[in-house]
Amino acid sequence: ACQIPFPFPAPPTLARRIPTVCRSPPPNSSQQQQLPHPTPPRDLPDQPLEIPAPMSSSAMDAIVELVELSESMRQAASLLADDDPSDDAAPRRPSTFLNAVALGNVGSGKSAVLNSLIGHPVLPTGENGATRAPIVVDLQRDPGLSTKSIVLQIDSKSQQVSSSALRHSLQDRLSKATGPGRSRTDEIYLKLRTSTAPPLKLIDLPGIDQRVIDDSTINEFAGHNDAILIVVIPAMQAPEVASSRALKLARDIDPEGTRTIGVLSKIDQAASDAKTVACVQAILSNKGPRTAAEIEWVALIGQSVAIASAQSGSVGSENSLETAWRAEAESLKSILTTAPQNKLGRIALVDTIAKQIRKRMKVRLPNLLTG
């Protein structure tokens, strides 16, 4: 696979003015719950992180390039606004190009899709709405870690944890987040280092049909920035995709579709329904309803064989995760025989996210250069 070229090199005069990488200060975190008490979110690491083998090399190389470009655009925006990026007292404009927000109804499979991106089942899942407060997972890549390792960063310390321990801790926090006397759903933030996930900030929102989330919460994470919107719809609901509230919400937030991705989840549950499979294949081939045809779609099994295989004791090699992702793609191909193969599985999702980040940067660059 070839690397995805980037079509708009920074103007030489602007590039020379961009100083060394600086970090953004923590945002207001007065209403954040910490797990257990990590440092507030910070910007990207000073150096681009290397991407290990278990992923589509073209997509991951593109994301590494986009990490660097995102930081350059953030610094350029500060300079054009007459801010000094080296001045700690100057206001910061943190980039949100590398954020991805999951939107969908209760039980649509949002958390499972994000778990698939992370490569570990750290987010609680369940048909009855396991996510009852926004969860922000700030991912950093560490190629030196085993594919089975997760490191939780708390303040200046790092602690290796298991996915099950993280998941149970989150479940406990979520039960408290929606307890008596809560006027809003407080955000839960955790910062993880793995060798399996792209360097993104993933936001898992509660189901949009739950009372614990309102429009202001959705807009806080998705409405006023460049975050990628991942609209998750179960495969069994593909015939009604045109009436999907999550898709309508994404179109309201992103009318041009320059930062929206659709995910048809739980494909295995629809495998025996010929009508549903036909609808899924039409949507993936951009032959579905007009509202669905205007965005990119990917099909996933969900949490899938990828994580199940990687976490099982019977699979011990470092390549087990890559093998499982490929097995997921092969399983999808056997169900969706006429769908584009480059839209099937977790690797395809990473590739599509990279393309959408790149597309959003192209949209935003002219405004930056004329600022």
Side-chain angles (χ1 to χ4, degrees):
C2 61
Q3 292 190 7
I4 299 173
F6 209 82
F8 47 89
T13 54
L14 180 59
R16 285 195 295 269
R17 292 182 62 197
I18 296 177
T20 56
V21 173
C22 58
R23 297 177 181 270
S24 296
N28 186 349
S29 57
S30 61
Q31 291 182 311
Q32 287 186 350
Q33 292 188 52
Q34 304 295 325
L35 183 67
H37 187 65
T39 52
R42 297 177 68 88
D43 241 345
L44 299 166
D46 291 342
Q47 298 296 329
L49 297 172
E50 296 181 3
I51 304 301
M55 301 180 203
S56 169
S57 59
S58 61
M60 299 311 297
D61 288 345
I63 286 184
V64 169
E65 184 177 28
L66 296 176
V67 168
E68 301 171 2
L69 285 164
S70 174
E71 175 62 17
S72 295
M73 289 176 72
R74 185 191 70 78
Q75 294 184 31
S78 295
L79 286 169
L80 292 171
D82 203 25
D83 296 335
D84 181 359
S86 63
D87 182 2
D88 290 338
R92 301 299 189 198
R93 293 166 173 79
S95 170
T96 54
F97 287 115
L98 304 172
N99 292 9
V101 182
L103 299 173
N105 287 341
V106 172
S108 62
K110 301 183 305 299
S111 300
V113 168
L114 297 186
N115 278 341
S116 186
L117 277 173
I118 297 168
H120 299 273
V122 300
L123 297 172
T125 58
E127 296 295 329
N128 296 320
T131 307
R132 294 184 294 276
I135 302 174
V136 178
V137 185
D138 194 350
L139 297 166
Q140 291 190 351
R141 296 189 57 74
D142 186 342
L145 292 175
S146 158
T147 58
K148 296 184 179 181
S149 298
I150 310 171
V151 175
L152 175 66
Q153 295 187 241
I154 305 171
D155 296 326
S156 59
K157 299 178 181 178
S158 298
Q159 176 184 355
Q160 189 152 329
V161 295
S162 68
S163 57
S164 60
L166 271 179
R167 189 169 61 253
H168 292 316
S169 180
L170 282 170
Q171 288 170 335
D172 181 59
R173 291 281 182 176
L174 289 169
S175 64
K176 296 176 181 177
T178 54
R182 291 283 183 179
S183 60
R184 69 184 298 274
T185 53
D186 295 337
E187 170 190 336
I188 298 173
Y189 174 85
L190 62 154
K191 188 172 187 178
L192 303 179
R193 285 192 289 120
T194 76
S195 65
T196 58
L200 300 173
K201 183 179 290 184
L202 305 180
I203 296 94
D204 191 12
L205 293 181
I208 59 175
D209 50 345
Q210 283 184 301
R211 289 181 297 175
V212 296
I213 190 169
D214 54 24
D215 290 346
S216 63
T217 303
I218 295 172
N219 285 328
E220 178 183 347
F221 293 100
H224 304 290
N225 57 31
D226 296 300
I228 300 300
L229 308 178
I230 302 178
V231 179
V232 182
I233 298 175
M236 291 301 296
Q237 296 178 16
E240 296 83 39
V241 67
S243 60
S244 165
R245 185 185 170 197
L247 186 57
K248 290 179 180 178
L249 180 61
R251 285 179 58 84
D252 289 342
I253 295 172
D254 176 31
E256 302 301 320
T258 57
R259 58 186 182 105
T260 302
I261 296 171
V263 173
L264 294 166
S265 64
K266 306 180 182 182
I267 298 295
D268 52 326
Q269 296 182 12
S272 60
D273 188 324
K275 178 184 175 182
T276 298
V277 169
C279 288
V280 168
Q281 294 184 134
I283 293 170
L284 293 172
S285 302
N286 297 114
K287 297 177 181 177
R290 183 182 61 83
T291 54
E294 294 173 353
I295 64 173
E296 294 288 329
W297 288 88
V298 176
L300 294 180
I301 290 176
Q303 204 143 296
S304 77
V305 292
I307 295 173
S309 297
Q311 299 300 322
S312 67
S314 60
V315 181
S317 74
E318 287 297 297
N319 293 325
S320 60
L321 199 55
E322 179 184 12
T323 301
W325 285 330
R326 297 191 186 284
E328 177 190 32
E330 291 302 317
S331 178
L332 287 165
K333 290 175 187 177
S334 69
I335 299 170
L336 307 171
T337 55
T338 65
Q341 296 189 356
N342 64 345
K343 295 187 177 183
L344 305 180
R346 187 266 192 188
I347 295 175
L349 179 58
V350 175
D351 181 67
T352 304
I353 289 174
K355 290 177 180 177
Q356 285 301 86
I357 294 173
R358 175 173 172 259
K359 183 185 294 185
R360 187 61 180 176
M361 286 182 168
K362 280 187 70 174
V363 169
R364 296 279 282 172
L365 190 65
N367 291 338
L368 174 66
L369 296 180
T370 58

